[in-house]
Amino acid sequence: MAHLSQLLSRLPSNIDVRMSTMGHVVWVSWHDKLAPAVGQTLLNYGGMLVGEEEEQSIWFFFTDDVFLALARLMVWGNFNELPVAIELFPGRLQFGRKREVNLLLDGALQAQQIVVTDSLEIWVHPKSREGKKGLPGITFERRSGRQGMASVEWASMTVDVRMPYASTQSWFAVLHPLGSPLDKAFQTGWTAMFKRLEALLQKHKIKSIVDNTFMMISIDNLMMLRTFMRDYLHSIDKNNKENSGHWPCVSVVADRNNLNFNADLPKKIGLQWDNLMPDFPYLSYRNAYLLGEGFTVRDLRFTGEQMAMDSWCNVMLDENSLSGRSLNLLMPSRLTTPTASGVGCVYCGIHSHESADCPTRLGATSGADVWENLGKLDLDAINEGFRAIELALTEKGAGGYAAVLAGEDDAAVVLRAVLEINAACQLRNVPRHWLYRMREPEPGEMEPTRDDSPAWDLLDKLITTAPSDLSSLEKKITQAITRHQRDPRLHMVLAFTYIERNDYARAEASFRNAALLTPSPALQAWNEFFLARLAEEQGLLSQAIEQYTQIWRVMPHWREVKYREIVCQVKMGFCEPILDQLIKLIREEPTYFNRVLIDPSLERGRLLILSALYDLWNEAKQCADADRARVVEISKRLDAWFAPEHPVQLQLGMKVRDLEAQASINNYLAFLNIVEVRPGIEKEMEECIAREVEDLRNRYKYYLDILQEIRDEASWFPFPAALREFSQEFNESAGIINRAFSCNFKEAESFKKAQGETPHLAELLRSLRKRLQFLRMVRDGTLFGLTLLKTFMWIEAVGLLLCFIAVPMVYFWGEAVHLGWLKDILGSEPWSIQKILILIVTMVSLGTSALRTTLVFERKREKLLEEARQQREQAQQTRLDRIRNQRRLEAERARKNQREEAEQANRK
């Protein structure tokens, strides 16, 4: 038993409905394997397969041909065994923005179940058969439904087997080659293509007529339409090497309805043939989906209103490279739909408003940040921005421009870029061009002083003047020209006035006068540029191309001129020949990629252009994808080497994070920026790592010198027991330094660990230095006291010895040695005098020892410290020699073991 709800659950739900239509839903259930004739019949009569699973499928029909298809199946089932059950009931087909398809059915119909018998059974819903009593050869008989079916008045079909039940659908196809019939290239190219088309029509026996440059084709049934479209698209596929002599041709397929097959058919279809895209047939959505599998349906543009199934779209073959190799971007219809008068805007190039209503008239001066900001948006964000613009313009009309531009969202960024495309022609930039003569001002350059020309004030008045007051302003400008006849700027202001009044002929004359009076070649070329823009807006594309070409010869570095020439070629429909020029322009100036992407003026060649841009996009994306992994590695390596608070992390990390953010943006400029910036950041990171490694090594050497100095200063200290806390801090500092020098600074983990210990090490050394001040005082005081005591005792001993020997000798033998005068001085109290002498000797000894100690203290201290240093270095050298010998013995033992193992292996 088949369950319809199970089949419907496979369809996407909660879609953003873009268009919908009522029609007939056919639910087909079968046993085992479905006969191919069933699906083929439904397909041939215009059925669209919506969903399918094991033993059931669901179809949608736009027209009443569904009854003819079912009648044909009943006739076939009368002569063949067909275990199939079919229900026909009304439903609504819904299409989402991304081409998702869903069916909206009545709740009772969704819960149905059906049992398939051994023969064909067809059940028709009462709403589906309303008004269908006049179908030739088809009648309906009420019949109670089976268990599981909806409780409605079902009916079965009775058909007359003698009727043909041919499909009522038919179409007319109209082909219109581009170019002038007087052009030799047209005569050659179109003749070759016409011969191929004629052979194709003869092959399938399709009728056609030719009138002027239009070729009209009559298509009688859906099978013929599918065959013709497939063969026609194959014949114009440029990837097919067998197709030679191709000529761009606009093609439209329209329902026959009440149209007649005659020379007036192109007029009756009601299309502007000069605005249609060549090489991609135009069909209604209904007819495009009738083509079935093998065809790709492409939207023309995005619209804020729900579209109808009769709206136009383009189709191409699935195997066409453009089907998969194209950027997905839809232009808003409000930026491409012309005004009722057909007059567009010279300032911004958008045809949905006139020049007097252009939003750029009151805007700020152009800036390079417009394209930088657009380069930071994803392609999906640009699409969403276009949709927001379309909705705003649909809701508010021309006031939607100001509403969007007032914001700071993606839609505002996109719209500013769209309005920036023709910035050279806009009033907001005229003062800057007058001041700087069409060059970009240098950063920080002072703005030149304005002269006393009345053109400045008149230009400001023009910007704020309403269209109804332009006549009085024109008189003021004319009067100013009579007083300043040689001022070209007044003629330009007058030309802008004529532009806003849509008087292009007089505007052209004023620009010509301004160009003749302008002494600067750049400003003269600018006035001639306006002449080309006026010709372009009037549809005189050949004249505009010729004018742009002349300006390009004079100013080959002004890429805007070349771009406008390319735009004119696209507007003429000859898009393919200029793709190489467009790619060259983008390679020279990458910002033109996004300009081409969002330019409404390129609608006539959008599919080919988006395909050409896709190649550039894919090339840049592949390079960026390769660099994205490198950027992630840079970020990981930066985090591995430096802590978050490290200056390198704060400075370089910001650049890396910005690059990571750009790496997640799907934008051509972002791709190029990643490829351009990543090597520089990687090189800067390597330089920072090398510099920080060297700086850390030098810092530890500096800390080692400080520690050695502290050690040398503290090495000769008379009270080792008092150095417990000092020794702890010293040993901890020495351990940190030893660990640092024992590791490899060129390894991130070791470097980061050693770097993390530097603050603690610096704090320890500061503490040791403070403690060293006290130790130095105690040590120097002790050394000074000992030296003083030693000197004093020697001098005192010598002095006392001399005193004890000299006094008795003088006293007893003074007369004999002729020192009687000393004996007289000693008198009868020699021991008292001796006491005085001992005191004098003591004082002299103390003074002499203090003087000598002061003189020799520094030398003695340095000598003791040097002896201590030599002993320490000798002990250290002894320890290193012992370690080397131990390592040498271990290496010899290892080699010996290897030799023994090798000998044992050889013996085995």
Side-chain angles (χ1 to χ4, degrees), residues 713 716-718 772-787 853 857-858 861 865:
E713 293 285 343
W716 192 86
F717 187 73
L772 185 63
Q773 293 178 358
F774 172 74
L775 297 180
R776 189 182 287 119
M777 291 174 60
V778 175
R779 182 202 66 191
D780 291 351
T782 304
L783 179 60
F784 189 89
L786 292 175
T787 305
T853 302
F857 175 76
E858 291 292 337
R861 184 183 63 181
L865 293 176

Coordinates of all heavy atoms in Angstrom, one line a residue, residues 713 716-718 772-787 853 857-858 861 865:
E713 N 80.8 38.1 44.0 CA 80.7 39.0 45.2 C 80.5 38.3 46.5 O 81.0 38.7 47.5 CB 79.7 40.1 44.9 CG 79.9 41.0 43.8 CD 81.0 42.1 44.2 OE1 81.3 42.2 45.4 OE2 81.6 42.7 43.2
W716 N 83.3 35.1 48.8 CA 84.2 35.2 50.0 C 83.3 35.9 51.0 O 83.3 37.1 51.1 CB 85.4 36.0 49.6 CG 86.4 35.9 50.7 CD1 87.4 35.0 50.8 CD2 86.6 36.8 51.8 NE1 88.2 35.2 51.9 CE2 87.7 36.4 52.6 CE3 85.9 38.0 52.2 CZ2 88.1 37.0 53.7 CZ3 86.3 38.6 53.4 CH2 87.4 38.1 54.1
F717 N 82.7 35.0 51.8 CA 81.8 35.6 52.9 C 82.1 34.8 54.1 O 82.1 33.5 54.1 CB 80.3 35.4 52.5 CG 79.4 36.1 53.5 CD1 79.3 37.5 53.5 CD2 78.7 35.3 54.4 CE1 78.5 38.1 54.5 CE2 77.9 36.0 55.3 CZ 77.8 37.4 55.4
P718 N 82.5 35.4 55.2 CA 83.0 34.7 56.4 C 82.0 33.9 57.2 O 82.3 33.1 58.0 CB 83.6 35.9 57.2 CG 82.8 37.1 56.8 CD 82.4 36.9 55.4
L772 N 72.7 41.3 48.3 CA 74.1 41.4 48.1 C 74.7 42.7 48.7 O 75.8 42.7 49.1 CB 74.4 41.3 46.6 CG 75.9 41.3 46.2 CD1 76.6 40.0 46.8 CD2 76.1 41.3 44.7
Q773 N 73.8 43.7 48.7 CA 74.3 45.0 49.3 C 74.7 44.8 50.8 O 75.7 45.2 51.2 CB 73.2 46.0 49.2 CG 73.0 46.5 47.7 CD 71.9 47.5 47.6 OE1 71.3 47.8 48.7 NE2 71.6 47.9 46.4
F774 N 73.8 44.1 51.5 CA 74.2 43.8 52.9 C 75.3 42.8 53.0 O 76.3 43.0 53.9 CB 72.9 43.2 53.6 CG 73.2 42.7 55.0 CD1 73.4 43.6 56.1 CD2 73.3 41.3 55.3 CE1 73.6 43.1 57.3 CE2 73.5 40.8 56.5 CZ 73.7 41.7 57.6
L775 N 75.4 41.8 52.2 CA 76.5 40.8 52.2 C 77.8 41.5 51.9 O 78.8 41.2 52.5 CB 76.2 39.7 51.2 CG 75.0 38.8 51.5 CD1 74.9 37.7 50.4 CD2 75.1 38.2 52.9
R776 N 77.7 42.4 50.9 CA 78.9 43.1 50.5 C 79.5 44.0 51.7 O 80.7 44.1 51.9 CB 78.7 44.0 49.3 CG 79.9 44.6 48.7 CD 79.6 45.5 47.5 NE 79.3 44.7 46.4 CZ 78.1 44.7 45.8 NH1 77.2 45.6 46.2 NH2 77.8 44.0 44.7
M777 N 78.5 44.6 52.4 CA 78.9 45.4 53.6 C 79.6 44.5 54.7 O 80.7 44.9 55.2 CB 77.7 46.1 54.2 CG 77.2 47.2 53.3 SD 75.6 47.9 53.9 CE 76.2 48.5 55.5
V778 N 79.0 43.4 55.0 CA 79.5 42.5 56.0 C 80.9 41.9 55.5 O 81.8 41.9 56.3 CB 78.5 41.4 56.3 CG1 79.1 40.3 57.2 CG2 77.2 41.9 56.9
R779 N 80.9 41.5 54.2 CA 82.2 40.9 53.7 C 83.3 41.9 53.7 O 84.4 41.7 54.2 CB 81.9 40.4 52.3 CG 83.1 39.7 51.7 CD 83.0 39.7 50.2 NE 83.0 41.1 49.7 CZ 82.7 41.4 48.4 NH1 82.3 40.5 47.6 NH2 82.8 42.7 48.0
D780 N 83.0 43.1 53.2 CA 84.1 44.1 53.1 C 84.5 44.6 54.5 O 85.7 44.9 54.7 CB 83.6 45.3 52.2 CG 83.4 44.9 50.8 OD1 83.8 43.8 50.4 OD2 82.8 45.8 50.0
G781 N 83.5 44.7 55.4 CA 83.8 45.1 56.7 C 84.7 44.1 57.4 O 85.7 44.5 58.1
T782 N 84.3 42.8 57.2 CA 85.2 41.8 57.9 C 86.6 41.8 57.3 O 87.6 41.7 58.0 CB 84.5 40.4 57.6 OG1 83.1 40.5 58.1 CG2 85.3 39.3 58.3
L783 N 86.7 41.8 55.9 CA 88.0 41.8 55.3 C 88.8 43.0 55.7 O 90.0 42.9 56.0 CB 87.8 41.8 53.8 CG 89.1 41.8 53.0 CD1 90.0 40.6 53.3 CD2 88.8 41.9 51.5
F784 N 88.1 44.2 55.8 CA 88.8 45.4 56.2 C 89.3 45.3 57.7 O 90.5 45.6 58.0 CB 87.9 46.6 56.1 CG 88.6 47.9 56.3 CD1 89.2 48.6 55.2 CD2 88.7 48.5 57.5 CE1 89.8 49.8 55.4 CE2 89.3 49.7 57.7 CZ 89.9 50.4 56.6
G785 N 88.4 44.7 58.5 CA 88.8 44.6 60.0 C 90.0 43.6 60.1 O 90.9 43.9 60.9
L786 N 89.9 42.5 59.4 CA 91.0 41.5 59.5 C 92.3 42.0 59.0 O 93.3 41.8 59.6 CB 90.6 40.2 58.8 CG 89.4 39.4 59.4 CD1 89.0 38.3 58.5 CD2 89.7 38.9 60.8
T787 N 92.2 42.7 57.9 CA 93.4 43.3 57.3 C 94.0 44.4 58.3 O 95.2 44.4 58.5 CB 93.1 43.9 56.0 OG1 92.6 43.0 55.1 CG2 94.4 44.5 55.3
T853 N 95.7 49.7 55.3 CA 94.5 48.8 55.0 C 93.7 49.6 53.9 O 93.2 49.0 53.0 CB 93.7 48.5 56.2 OG1 94.5 47.8 57.2 CG2 92.5 47.7 55.8
F857 N 93.2 47.7 50.4 CA 92.0 47.0 50.6 C 91.4 46.5 49.2 O 91.1 45.3 49.0 CB 91.0 47.8 51.3 CG 89.6 47.1 51.4 CD1 89.4 46.1 52.3 CD2 88.6 47.5 50.6 CE1 88.2 45.5 52.3 CE2 87.3 46.9 50.6 CZ 87.1 45.9 51.5
E858 N 91.3 47.4 48.2 CA 90.8 47.1 46.9 C 91.6 46.0 46.3 O 91.0 45.0 45.7 CB 90.7 48.3 46.1 CG 89.6 49.3 46.5 CD 88.2 48.9 46.3 OE1 88.0 47.9 45.5 OE2 87.3 49.4 47.0
R861 N 91.1 42.7 48.1 CA 89.8 42.1 47.8 C 89.7 41.5 46.5 O 89.2 40.4 46.3 CB 88.7 43.2 48.0 CG 87.3 42.7 47.9 CD 86.2 43.8 48.0 NE 86.4 44.7 46.9 CZ 85.7 45.8 46.7 NH1 84.7 46.1 47.6 NH2 85.9 46.7 45.7
L865 N 89.0 37.6 45.5 CA 87.9 37.2 44.6 C 88.4 36.5 43.4 O 87.8 35.6 42.9 CB 87.1 38.5 44.2 CG 86.3 39.2 45.3 CD1 85.6 40.5 44.7 CD2 85.2 38.3 45.9

